[in-house]
Amino acid sequence: MINSIYVDEIIKTALLEDINYLDTTTDYLIDEEQENTARFLAKSSGVLCGIDIALRVFELLQPSGFEAKVYKHDGDLLEKGDIIAEIKGKTRTILKGERTALNLIQHMSGVATATKTAVDIVRGTNASIADTRKTLPGLRPLQKYAVTVGGGRNHRYNLSDAAMLKDNHVDASGGIAPAVAKLKSKLGHMTKIELEVRNLDELGQALEAGVDVIMLDNMSIEEMREAVEITNGRALLEASGNITSETLRAIAKTGVDIISMGALTHSVKAFDISLKISD
């Protein structure tokens, strides 16, 4: 679920960025009272995400008199040519909101589609697909929501959610053992500790320190398989770093619990959706 206040603020920011003080083309060309209908159409196959947010763009531009019929909902599988929704409102509203609405729904559907592709690749293994904090500034809630729509899971939402020791934290604090000990002395009982390790020696130190989750950073398939055997269920294991669709299945079959992929959010391809005035 996404906070509606956040959604409205994102949309308003995008509209102000796009319209500024007027839409030079639409405001001079289209009569203020003219109305039209338009359809959101899928132009390829994938997972829909963000239709309610796209429609909210037009509701903010036209608080009364805007209508929408929704035929496909978040999480639905789309085929090329599917009608997602039909809208009716002032023509100025449709034309002014078109780009903002499409930017949001295309990006979110792209994230959901990429996530489903990864989830399908690892299906039947122990591994789940998770996102990272490699999100676009200001869009994290939308992107993380889209990951869940595609069947993935969310990693920590921000730096406050959990303690995660990465290589720079460890190097700056004198090593794994003192870093974990210091954190444990200060954290509440509800806060988990994750530690990034670069080799099997650090894995042993992490297990000895008693962390909850261990991230296997840029390890080879063989190293990950050995790490699973060494850990033997004493901590959750997360694989991360330069993971592609070509290596994903092999990584999942090593027995790791989680595979986190920054590519789900930071470099995803937009899903092709159009908005066409139909009369």
Side-chain angles (χ1 to χ4, degrees):
M1 298 181 66
I2 309 176
N3 187 308
S4 60
I5 298 173
Y6 159 81
V7 170
D8 284 359
E9 289 304 308
I10 283 289
I11 292 172
K12 289 176 183 178
T13 298
L15 288 173
L16 285 172
E17 180 180 62
D18 204 30
I19 298 173
N20 199 352
Y21 58 93
L22 87 162
D23 177 343
T24 305
T25 309
T26 300
D27 286 332
Y28 289 146
L29 183 65
I30 304 298
D31 183 79
E32 186 176 359
E33 299 306 316
Q34 181 176 326
E35 291 191 345
N36 279 94
T37 61
R39 289 175 171 177
F40 282 95
L41 299 171
K43 299 182 73 176
S44 58
S45 301
V47 181
L48 176 64
C49 184
I51 181 59
D52 292 332
I53 293 171
L55 295 177
R56 183 62 178 159
V57 172
F58 303 105
E59 293 171 352
L60 289 175
L61 285 168
Q62 185 180 328
S64 63
F66 174 78
E67 301 174 7
K69 293 180 181 178
V70 179
Y71 304 113
K72 300 290 184 179
H73 299 273
D74 285 3
D76 286 351
L77 297 179
L78 299 177
E79 297 295 336
K80 183 178 181 179
D82 282 350
I83 299 173
I84 299 167
E86 188 172 52
I87 62 175
K88 180 180 180 181
K90 291 184 176 181
T91 310
R92 286 188 180 184
T93 297
I94 296 172
L95 294 173
K96 290 181 179 181
E98 175 185 1
R99 187 69 269 153
T100 295
L102 287 175
N103 284 345
L104 293 169
I105 194 173
Q106 287 177 330
H107 180 66
M108 294 177 69
S109 296
V111 172
T113 299
T115 303
K116 184 181 185 302
T117 298
V119 169
D120 287 345
I121 290 173
V122 305
R123 196 174 304 281
T125 70
N126 183 56
S128 61
I129 298 296
D131 53 29
T132 69
R133 284 171 41 246
K134 294 177 182 177
T135 54
L136 299 178
L139 294 182
R140 183 172 295 174
L142 298 187
Q143 293 185 305
K144 282 187 170 284
Y145 165 71
V147 167
T148 66
V149 169
R153 303 178 69 181
N154 293 147
H155 207 289
R156 59 176 178 165
Y157 191 85
N158 55 40
L159 294 174
S160 301
D161 276 351
M164 185 170 175
L165 287 159
K166 306 199 84 174
D167 54 355
N168 283 334
H169 294 102
V170 171
D171 293 342
S173 55
I176 289 174
V180 173
K182 188 171 184 178
L183 277 176
K184 284 188 172 184
S185 71
K186 296 186 177 184
L187 292 177
H189 67 286
M190 296 295 287
T191 306
K192 291 185 177 182
I193 299 176
E194 179 169 4
L195 173 67
E196 176 185 273
V197 300
R198 294 162 283 194
N199 50 58
L200 296 179
D201 177 62
E202 289 186 348
L203 172 70
Q205 295 179 56
L207 290 170
E208 188 174 342
V211 299
D212 303 288
V213 186
I214 299 172
M215 177 189 286
L216 309 177
D217 182 47
N218 285 297
M219 286 192 181
S220 68
I221 299 295
E222 287 304 318
E223 285 177 313
M224 282 188 269
R225 188 176 291 114
E226 190 172 348
V228 170
E229 294 178 3
I230 293 170
T231 302
N232 194 27
R234 288 179 286 171
L236 290 175
L237 291 180
E238 173 187 340
S240 186
N242 296 316
I243 295 169
T244 66
S245 57
E246 288 75 24
T247 61
L248 191 52
R249 181 74 183 179
I251 291 171
K253 290 177 73 173
T254 65
V256 296
D257 302 286
I258 306 149
I259 302 174
S260 57
M261 302 177 64
L264 297 178
T265 51
H266 69 58
S267 58
V268 72
K269 180 181 178 181
F271 184 83
D272 199 358
I273 295 172
S274 65
L275 180 65
K276 295 294 185 183
I277 286 180
S278 54
D279 62 356

